[in-house]
Amino acid sequence: MPDFDIVALGEPLIEFNQTRPGHPEFLQGYGGDTSNAIIAAARQGARCAYLTRVGADVFGEQLMQLWREENVDTTGVMIDPHAHTGLYFVQHGPDGHVFSYMRHGSAASHMNPEDLRHGMVERAAFLHVSGISLAISASACDTVFAAIERARAAGGQVCLDSNLRLRLWPVDRARAILREAMCMADVFLPSMDDMRHFTGHADPAGTLDWIRDAGANGIIVLKLGRDGAVLDDGRQRHFVPGMVVDAIDATGAGDCFAGTLMARRAQGDDWRTAVRYANAAAALSTRGYGAVQPLPTPAQVQAFLQDSHPAG
Ligand code: KDG
């Protein structure tokens, strides 16, 4: 049995989240898509570890402290004395949230395949990576592909979240690299919003056809935001509706979905049950400010599933 259910690899960030629209008032928290996902999974009771680099600075120390408190193993986290920990601001406007980043040259962007020498990837049932892990630098991109090779060689499953950030890389490079990675993934988690940039389709069926034709042959869960998700297991497609909540801040909801989904799979749920559960967790994660603080516990998700109504 592997030592970990999930090992995630990517860039953690310090978050400053605006708490009063239109006012310069920000709450300090934590972000970074793969870090959010691994914490979401750990809160659900999965055995988790994270792989990254942080700066030798106060923010790096805070992140290390956070992971320890959240029961995320940090053996594979390196402290880089030559680079800073990245950060971002979230502002809330009429069209949803707007991110402003200060991450160029961050410690995580200096990751390279040598950083995998601890052998953590080989000890996990799932390796979780994302479009952001691939985009932050060429050496981080190489590290992701090296980790994928290691996971596959050790019999682990690879989970890839599309998380497309076009401020990090040009669309043609993003399309080419994500396509390559998606064909190696056992579980691909694209969002409708991301896939619009690649596929030319605005509907889930056309988008899923495009992804299959492009060579993805694992499980695909297409995320539709508050509307839910479509599970494509290679034989059938199932629409799993989202849950209705009064959302305050959707930052990190997709990451919560990813982490919770893997945690529930590791705990033995079938795919449909795991997607329904992850939909509920993601909805709950939008009821507070920040990517990490509102991530739900199992008790919260179970209670919500018992007395809530699907969207639509
Ligand atoms: O999904 C939420 C993330 O986008 C946020 O935490 C910041 O990782 C981040 C990014 O690069 O956008």
Side-chain angles (χ1 to χ4, degrees):
M1 177 165 160
D3 297 330
F4 298 104
D5 296 314
I6 309 151
V7 169
L9 184 158
E11 173 161 48
L13 297 164
I14 291 292
E15 175 186 270
F16 292 94
N17 201 309
Q18 189 179 36
T19 49
R20 258 209 310 159
H23 293 264
E25 293 170 16
F26 294 87
L27 183 69
Q28 190 193 325
Y30 303 96
D33 63 338
T34 48
S35 173
N36 302 335
I38 204 70
I39 294 171
R43 283 209 187 160
Q44 293 301 322
R47 298 163 306 146
C48 295
Y50 195 51
L51 306 181
T52 192
R53 285 192 188 198
V54 294
D57 47 35
V58 173
F59 290 149
E61 276 166 29
Q62 290 178 352
L63 282 160
M64 291 295 271
Q65 171 85 10
L66 169 75
W67 294 317
R68 284 191 203 110
E69 284 169 8
E70 298 284 351
N71 292 318
V72 174
D73 186 289
T74 56
T75 309
V77 177
M78 297 182 54
I79 316 272
D80 188 328
H82 306 295
H84 63 279
T85 306
L87 58 89
Y88 68 104
F89 291 80
V90 192
Q91 283 162 294
H92 303 274
D95 300 324
H97 49 215
V98 179
F99 292 95
S100 307
Y101 299 102
M102 294 181 70
R103 70 192 320 173
H104 187 72
S106 71
S109 73
H110 289 282
M111 273 189 290
N112 67 64
E114 259 294 287
D115 295 2
L116 304 174
R117 64 182 174 276
H118 294 287
M120 298 294 284
V121 168
E122 291 85 342
R123 294 170 60 194
F126 277 110
L127 167 70
H128 179 62
V129 292
S130 79
I132 298 175
S133 324
L134 287 160
I136 51 174
S137 70
S139 70
C141 184
D142 291 348
T143 311
V144 173
F145 280 106
I148 290 175
E149 294 295 353
R150 282 173 176 253
R152 283 157 57 118
Q157 300 229 314
V158 175
C159 178
L160 170 72
D161 191 320
S162 61
N163 272 349
L164 179 68
R165 297 289 184 274
L166 287 175
R167 272 184 276 172
L168 289 175
W169 50 355
V171 69
D172 289 340
R173 181 172 160 84
R175 185 186 290 112
I177 291 179
L178 268 171
R179 187 172 173 154
E180 180 86 17
M182 128 194 143
C183 293
M184 300 168 95
D186 301 283
V187 184
F188 181 43
L189 306 178
S191 73
M192 228 10 242
D193 285 346
D194 288 353
M195 286 298 116
R196 267 189 203 112
H197 294 276
F198 294 167
T199 67
H201 293 282
D203 63 306
T207 303
L208 284 164
D209 289 344
W210 185 95
I211 294 170
R212 286 282 176 218
D213 290 346
N217 54 19
I219 296 283
I220 305 171
V221 185
L222 179 63
K223 297 177 287 176
L224 310 178
R226 74 180 65 178
D227 293 331
V230 181
L231 165 67
D232 178 330
D233 63 13
R235 293 184 305 278
Q236 285 183 305
R237 290 177 184 168
H238 309 277
F239 170 61
V240 187
M243 303 285 175
V244 182
V245 286
D246 290 327
I248 297 175
D249 174 19
T251 308
D255 311 330
C256 175
F257 181 90
T260 307
L261 183 72
M262 285 180 285
R264 294 301 303 185
R265 281 293 294 164
Q267 286 158 13
D269 276 3
D270 61 50
W271 278 105
R272 270 170 99 163
T273 309
V275 171
R276 179 167 177 267
Y277 189 103
N279 272 346
L284 286 175
S285 77
T286 67
R287 295 205 301 195
Y289 283 107
V292 168
Q293 192 278 328
L295 291 171
T297 61
Q300 288 169 323
V301 183
Q302 312 279 10
F304 181 61
L305 276 170
Q306 262 160 31
D307 53 39
S308 68
H309 306 286

